[in-house]
Amino acid sequence: MGNRRRVAERRKTRPAVIGGMIAVVVGGAGVAGYALFGGGAAADNGTGSTSAATDQRPKVKTGPLSATEVTTTARAFLTAWQAGQVSRAAAATDDPTAARTLLTGYTKDAHIKGVTLTAGPRTGDKVRFSVKGTVSYKGTDKPLAYDSELTVVRRMGDGKPLVDWHSSVVHPDLKDGDRLVTGEAGTPPVKALDRDGGELTTEKYPSLGPVLDGLREKYGKKAGGKAGVELRVVRGKSAQSSELSDKTLLELSKGTPGTVETTLDPALQAAAERQVARKARASVVVLRPSTGEILAAANSSKGFNTAFQGSLAPGSTMKVITSSLLIEKGLASADKKHPCPKYFTYGGWKFQNDDKFEIKDGTFKASFARSCNTAFISQAPKLENDDLTKQAQQVFGLGLNNWAIGVPSFDGAVPVQSAAPMAASLIGQGGVRMNPLNMASVSATVKAGVFRQPYLVSPKVDGRQLATASRTMSAGTLSQLRELMSYTAAYGTAAEAMAGVSGDVGAKTGSAEVDGQKKPNGWFTAYRGDLAAAGVVQAGGHGGDTAGPIVAALLKAGG
């Protein structure tokens, strides 16, 4: 039965808009007359006539939904779904066709029966509910239980309240376009091992779920295992599903796993899990610059691997790449005077520094260490539109969509831009997009002097080709870049976080503004000896205060 979809090891450049969603599961025949809601309140009909005798059309109800409208709409949908009345349930949504398809597949393809839906309390326009049922396949039964949520919205045309349809209403792990399928898995399970031979599990390392899914997609058949029977999410072709691997939700009969060895260090991985757990929406990656081996990767949120697949503006950590460009072109030198005014206008945009500071008669090293935006923006008129893109691709191996780390990853994006967006890209805004894996690789490139593509599974396992950079920095540029990062770790914006991190060190902080977000995303990238790491705390604030302590702690732990 249905082969598991093969997930590519890389993603195309993601758009600048960042979003999220909530999810859920249910279906099959239910118990007639089950009381989903108490009280039995009647629905508001919202009808009436105009005062003009010539217009007897009913009024379209507008404005916020009432509590009665939300609970009545949710009750109608859940009651029909529980009773197996798919068409009736679908008609209570704002996308009957998509709802009918998924709810039909819930019973037919996922083989979920005896479903009981129990609504919880209403919160505004949302209603949470619990799902209990049985997955039954070829004589094997297994109970299934989870929680989900639906949102009620008002239809534009007539004001009728309906369930806002998304696949996540059916199960929290579903994205729009995904399906639920029960049967013999097309891909055998894998037993993933750390570099010391210990087994990697989500019980031991909670944030490794997406990584383990990706390893199964890539190596399940190659590792020699035997597939079992399971309920799983089969990903669709929509943009929001394309970066995710198929996911097992319930095993009815276990398969025989093959074995895959990874480069993860068990002590560092455990430390990374502890560090990100202390903050919401935190992600971190640790690399070995001399080889490119990924030693740890962790995320606070378990559903999406931001560490490898995130697509976020990196803020001032991008100034590491920009500095290498400016030094190579003779537009900046570590110990030479460099402008850092309060403001600089380019392409119709007025740029400024944090708290509108300025550095009078300062050096480029001082501007880098204090993260002066205008010191970089002021050089935009002297650059070609594609200079930064070429530097990122040719020296740091970024933005070419050719990394093959062993699981799906996003390889960074530095698009060619012009005018103000080009200037903004110099400080990690505009269209530039990165994740902790990319920015850890940037620090690793500075430390090693050459780009080595990060990898989680050795290329010796499957003979795949690792990405390379077309050139390296000159010795003089590299020496100055290391000097800038070392000075920042000792005396600049990274000094507080890096206090106590001894040895050959370098660091850079970053804060990236995001539309609609009160606090910026905090970034931090650094190296110590043969370790490089980078992290981000979304909506956390300045990188030195948020991601900095996470990265510094891991550099200490690995030292």
Side-chain angles (χ1 to χ4, degrees), residues 97-423:
T97 301
R100 186 180 302 109
T101 298
L102 192 55
L103 291 174
T104 298
Y106 192 81
T107 302
K108 183 179 178 181
D109 300 326
H111 298 276
I112 302 172
K113 301 177 180 179
V115 174
T116 299
L117 308 175
T118 304
R122 175 189 64 87
T123 304
D125 298 339
K126 301 182 184 296
V127 175
R128 290 192 61 79
F129 59 94
S130 64
V131 182
K132 290 184 179 180
T134 301
V135 182
S136 181
Y137 184 80
K138 293 186 177 181
T140 301
D141 296 337
K142 205 158 189 179
L144 176 71
Y146 57 90
D147 294 325
S148 189
E149 182 179 76
L150 61 83
T151 301
V152 179
V153 296
R154 196 180 296 287
R155 187 160 60 190
M156 292 289 292
D158 58 7
K160 182 178 180 180
L162 295 168
V163 172
D164 183 22
W165 182 256
H166 288 286
S167 298
S168 59
V169 173
V170 170
H171 193 283
D173 285 311
L174 289 173
K175 307 296 183 184
D176 290 343
D178 294 349
R179 298 181 298 125
L180 286 172
V181 176
T182 296
E184 296 176 3
T187 304
V190 296
K191 181 179 180 180
L193 304 179
D194 61 39
R195 65 190 301 111
D196 294 338
E199 184 173 3
L200 299 169
T201 66
T202 53
E203 289 76 21
K204 190 184 296 183
Y205 309 111
S207 67
L208 284 185
V211 171
L212 297 177
D213 291 338
L215 289 171
R216 178 175 179 175
E217 290 288 349
K218 175 70 175 176
Y219 298 102
K221 291 181 179 179
K222 297 177 183 178
K226 181 179 178 182
V229 175
E230 60 191 29
L231 168 66
R232 65 188 183 278
V233 175
V234 177
R235 301 298 179 187
K237 297 181 180 180
S238 65
Q240 62 178 335
S241 288
S242 62
E243 76 265 11
L244 300 174
S245 303
D246 291 356
K247 181 171 184 175
T248 298
L249 299 178
L250 185 69
E251 283 187 330
L252 278 74
S253 65
K254 290 185 176 295
T256 303
T259 299
V260 178
E261 296 178 353
T262 74
T263 59
L264 292 178
D265 179 279
L268 274 175
Q269 181 62 34
E273 297 276 354
R274 290 193 298 271
Q275 287 296 321
V276 299
R278 296 173 181 174
K279 292 188 178 292
R281 302 177 69 190
S283 301
V284 70
V285 171
V286 184
L287 304 178
R288 190 179 298 286
S290 62
T291 62
E293 295 169 283
I294 298 172
L295 302 178
N299 305 280
S300 297
S301 57
K302 310 305 185 293
F304 179 66
N305 188 5
T306 302
F308 290 172
Q309 297 174 277
S311 177
L312 306 169
S316 291
T317 55
M318 186 67 185
K319 290 173 182 173
V320 176
I321 297 175
T322 306
S323 294
S324 72
L325 171 66
L326 298 181
I327 294 170
E328 280 191 347
K329 287 187 170 295
L331 298 176
S333 183
D335 293 316
K336 287 186 178 181
K337 299 285 186 178
H338 197 88
C340 175
K342 288 183 180 180
Y343 308 101
F344 191 88
T345 299
Y346 185 73
W349 290 10
K350 186 177 182 180
F351 296 89
Q352 66 183 43
N353 300 316
D354 189 27
D355 294 331
K356 302 177 184 178
F357 76 82
E358 64 179 328
I359 302 176
K360 296 181 179 179
D361 299 322
T363 63
F364 184 59
K365 181 162 63 176
S367 290
F368 184 93
R370 196 169 172 186
S371 206
C372 175
N373 292 331
T374 58
F376 294 83
I377 300 296
S378 64
Q379 305 308 302
K382 305 169 189 176
L383 296 172
E384 299 296 329
N385 290 337
D386 63 351
D387 278 344
L388 187 65
T389 301
K390 288 180 177 178
Q391 190 77 2
Q393 292 176 343
Q394 296 174 2
V395 176
F396 292 89
L398 294 163
L400 293 172
N401 297 320
N402 61 351
W403 289 16
I405 74 170
V407 295
S409 69
F410 172 61
D411 305 348
V414 187
V416 177
Q417 297 179 290
S418 61
M422 184 275 276

Side-chain angles (χ1 to χ4, degrees), residues 70-86:
V70 174
T71 55
T72 301
T73 302
R75 177 174 58 194
F77 170 74
L78 295 173
T79 300
W81 181 11
Q82 179 173 283
Q85 298 170 346
V86 170

Side-chain angles (χ1 to χ4, degrees), residues 320 323-324 396 446 473 477-485:
V320 176
S323 294
S324 72
F396 292 89
V446 175
M473 288 176 277
T477 298
L478 180 61
S479 176
Q480 288 194 58
L481 199 55
R482 289 171 176 168
E483 182 183 351
L484 294 177
M485 293 186 69

